[in-house]
């Protein structure tokens, strides 16, 4: 389905995840974060999102444990940055597919 995010027409799946991670930019991230009531995005949010994108590009399947061991953030801070469903929400805001194992 098509969705207008930060002035960009984006293809999303039924849960609102971007179909093409390559169109992602920080403006789209801010729009997605606002939809999830995670706004404004701070530098700390952006560092985590950049790390997630790097890991995805390298083919690494993401888990909460990997995020906690990343050195970018710890689990407690990750939950504070992306409350509720941190890995799912952070992946969505980062323009990545929904992680395997996320409900």
């Amino acid at each position: 389905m098509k969705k207008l995010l930060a002035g960009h027409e984006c293809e999303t799946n039924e849960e609102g995840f971007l179909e093409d991670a390559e169109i992602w930019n920080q403006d789209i991230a801010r729009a997605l974060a606002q939809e999830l009531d995670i706004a404004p995005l701070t530098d700390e949010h952006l560092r985590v999102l950049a790390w997630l994108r790097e890991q995805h590009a390298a083919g690494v399947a993401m888990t909460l444990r990997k995020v906690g061991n990343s050195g970018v953030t710890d689990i407690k801070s990750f939950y504070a940055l992306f409350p509720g469903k941190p890995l799912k929400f952070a992946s969505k805001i980062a323009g990545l597919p929904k992680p395997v194992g996320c409900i």
Side-chain angles (χ1 to χ4, degrees), residues 9-56:
E9 195 169 284
C10 304
E11 267 309 310
T12 62
N13 68 13
E14 65 281 348
E15 292 185 78
F17 286 82
L18 294 180
E19 292 286 351
D20 180 5
E22 297 303 313
I23 66 164
W24 181 89
N25 62 40
Q26 288 186 8
D27 292 332
I28 290 172
R30 288 182 182 92
L32 289 167
Q34 192 167 16
E35 287 181 1
L36 295 169
D37 292 324
I38 301 172
L41 290 181
T42 64
D43 288 343
E44 190 173 358
H45 285 101
L46 295 173
R47 275 192 300 277
V48 172
L49 298 176
W51 183 81
L52 287 171
R53 290 184 60 80
E54 289 170 9
Q55 297 303 300
H56 177 75

Side-chain angles (χ1 to χ4, degrees), residues 62-84:
M62 200 45 51
T63 64
L64 279 173
R65 178 167 284 155
K66 287 179 185 171
V67 174
N69 292 331
S70 68
V72 175
T73 190
D74 58 40
I75 294 294
K76 185 176 178 181
S77 298
F78 191 48
Y79 270 89
L81 289 168
F82 303 96

Side-chain angles (χ1 to χ4, degrees), residues 1 31 53 77 98-99 102:
M1 66 187 359
R53 290 184 60 80
S77 298
K98 182 171 137 181
C102 283

